[in-house]
Structures are given as C-alpha cells and as structure tokens.
Amino acid sequence: MINLSPREKRQQRTHQAILDAARKIISTKGISGLSMRGLARVIEYSPAALYEYFGSKEEIIQAVVEQGFERFTGYLDRVDKTLPAAEYLTELGMAYINFAVQNPDFFLLMFTTAPLADVHGELSDEADETDQLKADASFSILLRGVERSIAEGITKTGANYGAFEIAYTLWVHVHGMAMLQVTNLRHISHDFDQINRLSLHILFEGLAAQ
Amino acid sequence: MINLSPREKRQQRTHQAILDAARKIISTKGISGLSMRGLARVIEYSPAALYEYFGSKEEIIQAVVEQGFERFTGYLDRVDKTLPAAEYLTELGMAYINFAVQNPDFFLLMFTTAPLADVHGELSDEADETDQLKADASFSILLRGVERSIAEGITKTGANYGAFEIAYTLWVHVHGMAMLQVTNLRHISHDFDQINRLSLHILFEGLAAQ
DNA sequence: TACAATACTGAACATTGTTCAGAAAATTAA
DNA sequence: TTAATTTTCTGAACAATGTTCAGTATTGTA
C-alpha cells in the first residue's frame, strides 16, 4: 500500500487532480457550473480522458462528496477536546456551521447527494439501521462528546433517551442552523453567530433538565 | 381581477397545467428528471410552446417552488390552533416534517432553490434584513404560535431573546429534522416520529427553563 | 528492439435548453 | 360574413452537454 510504482503514482495524481479541480469548480460556480468539458480544460486533458479515471460525471461528484466528508470530519476533529464538555459541544456545533458557511455550495452538495447504490441493508431487516449512523465518522465524534457530557453531568439521560438520542438532538439542531444559513438565510446580511450560540445554549438547558 | 376573458382563462389554465405537470414530474422523478421535452409531452404541447408561458426552465422551477411554499404554508396553517401552545408547536413541527417526508424531492428543491434575483435590500443597508423573515408567511405562523406560548408561560423570554429568537430556535431544530429525514436518513428504514417528538420535547424544556 | 498495456485525442452521437420563422387558431374590425 | 390582427403553437435548427469509440501516442515489459 505504501510503495507505488511510478505509473500508479501518476494515476493517483491525475485521479486527485480531477477531484480537486471538480471541487474548486463546484465551490466557485456551484454544481450546475460543473461540466466535463470545463473540468477537462482545467486539468488540460480532453473530455474523453476523464473516463479513463471515472466511469461518469456522477462518479466524480460522488468521489468529491466522499472526500468532502473526510475533510469535514477532519475539520470537526480539530476542535479542542480538552474543553469542558458543554463548551466542546458548542464549539463543535459552531465548527459544523462554519464549515457550511465557508463552503456553501459544496456543503449543500454533500448533504443533498444520495450515496450511489449503497450496500446498506446487508445485515438488513432485523438489525436496526441506525447502526449506520453510529458507524458514521463525524457522528461518532459528536457521540463521544455527548458521552463525555453525560459523564460530566452536563446532560442527563432517561429511560427514553441515552447518548444516541441526545446526539441526534444536537445534530438536527446544528444541521438545521447550518442548512438554513446556506439556503434560506444565505443572502441575508446578518451575523447569525450570536443567535446560533444562544440557540444552542437554550437546547443545552433542555438537555440538562431532569 | 375576478372576471376573466375566455382567453385569459385559457392562459391561466395552461399556465397552471404546466406547473402541475412540472411538480408531478419533480415529485416522482426528482428535479433531474424534469426536462422541457418531457414536460411538453405530458401537457401535449411542443417544447417551444412552453416559452409562450415561461421565459425559461428556471422560471418554471421558480414558479413551482413558489406555489410549493404556498401549499406548505397552507399545510402548516391547518394545524389545530385551539391546542395548548406547547402541543400546538409540537404538532406544527411534526406537520413541517411530515410535509417534507411525504414530498422529499419537492421539499428538497424548495429549500435549496435560491430565489431568482430577489429585490431584497431595497430598504437595505440600515434596516435589519431579518425583517424579511418576519414577513415570511410560514415563519409568521410559527411566530404567532410562539407568542401564544409566551403568553401561556410555556416559554420564557429574557433580555437576550424574545419571540423571534425562540421561533428561530424552533425553526432550525425542526428544519434540521426534516432536512436530515429527506437526505441523510432517507433510506434508513426506521420510524423517526418518536425520537423527533422526544427531541422537540427536550428543546421545550430548555425554552421553559429560566 | 519488439510487444503489450496504458493513457490519451478527435470525431461522432444522442439529449438537453432555447430560438425563430412561419403556420394555425382565435379575436377584433369592417 | 369577410378581412386584418393578435395570440398560440409547431418544426426545424442551434449550441452545449454527457458519453462512446476507433485509433494514436506513450509507457512499461520481455
């Protein structure tokens, strides 16, 4: 895995160059601004050459989204884990929103692109498919933060809800803020940082209540 | 306005037939399944005829989204207003999510389509543009519910936050649930109703806390 | 140096949104 | 009713898109 032949190195470089160019185009001109011909022009290949590396435009987009989630997870993972749980979760949420606001079109694409022909349902029927969530890298970061907040007594659990339910609650709240910031509220010139923090604070009070 | 000439009636009928057909196509085949030729075939016109009624495909989509928001507002408005504020706001939120789940592609389009060349900013610079929100029909429904909840003592206000901030908090939370249901969690066979209600309940505890 | 695999190009195809000259239909004027 | 005019619609065409494919370079191996 570590040692690559010169050919494989070239392949990987081109593969990545295509994805980088695609990501940049999407970030600047939106997903509708991405064309195979334009993409080919940027990396100085003919349009047909792209099909040596990817089966279709859809596959390219899928790969860009996949790498996007990796960068996203990395971004969230960079939040200082030595912070007290309450602050940590707040900053985690703000990082989530920040990522969205700084790459609005890209974020939008990530969260509106359905995974291509996922092989989920392999363990299927019986098993609760929310397991998929728990396996998700960025959700796991949140989940660990929540578990710590429970240990620190910041959030209370009950018969109905444990760490998973609390994490879900935080997720939807933050995701809603991020999403609205990037769609409905996008062109409203107003700084939402303060109200977002306040809003999160209110939610934490609910999570702390018995 | 009420009396229309036969010609105007025909125009309006065709106009609406186009939008209805477009909405149906989007609901069944997604936005990428909408083509001018396919749309024309459904209403039994030639593709070029569509341009007699709309300037472009983009304008058609815009109009479909606009009517979508009207239907959406109507849907929310149908929630029983005689319910106690807490229950009312809960049911309002669940209706929001229901609308999304029942028309996933359509909902997605509505909340990811940027309004075309909006004339906002006309009162501009000085005025806080969050006023746009307060003018929004569906947000107003929520706002009135929140004001009632304040009157009933269900939610507390503070120096930092009044009805607007509380409404925003509820909105992002519910919107996050709806959005995730329609994107990330779409193909997970799991009933989220229970956890969504629970999640909302937790938020209300925060809103009730001092 | 010859052979084989890989990487790429150019030209073509079907499909898309859109335009436009003109035919058909509906409305108005005579 | 007829003639003129306006509205409504069609067919053919255009440029741009994603994709394919035969064939040509380029690279790697014997």
Side-chain angles (χ1 to χ4, degrees), chain A residues 111 120 128-129 161 168-169 171-173 175-176 180-181 183-184 187 189-190 196 198-199 202 205-207 209, chain B residues 111 120 128-129 161 168-169 171-173 175-176 180-181 183-184 187 189-190 196 198-199 202 205-207 209:
Chain A
F111 279 94
H120 76 257
D128 192 334
E129 299 189 65
Y161 59 107
Y168 175 80
T169 291
W171 185 27
V172 301
H173 198 90
H175 186 73
L180 285 174
Q181 229 85 157
T183 55
N184 275 55
H187 299 294
S189 56
H190 184 270
N196 285 340
L198 174 64
S199 182
I202 292 173
E205 298 218 25
L207 289 167
Chain B
F111 278 96
H120 77 257
D128 193 334
E129 300 190 64
Y161 58 108
Y168 176 80
T169 291
W171 185 26
V172 300
H173 198 92
H175 186 72
L180 285 174
Q181 228 85 161
T183 56
N184 275 55
H187 300 294
S189 55
H190 184 269
N196 284 341
L198 175 64
S199 182
I202 292 173
E205 299 219 22
L207 289 167

Side-chain angles (χ1 to χ4, degrees), chain A residues 58-59 61-63 65-66 69 107-118 120, chain B residues 105 108 180 182-187:
Chain A
E58 190 52 38
E59 265 188 35
I61 294 174
Q62 213 71 34
V65 166
E66 211 161 298
F69 272 109
F107 180 83
L108 212 48
L109 178 72
M110 281 172 55
F111 279 94
T112 55
T113 305
L116 246 188
D118 215 340
H120 76 257
Chain B
D105 281 303
L108 212 49
L180 285 174
V182 157
T183 56
N184 275 55
L185 308 177
R186 186 162 181 176
H187 300 294

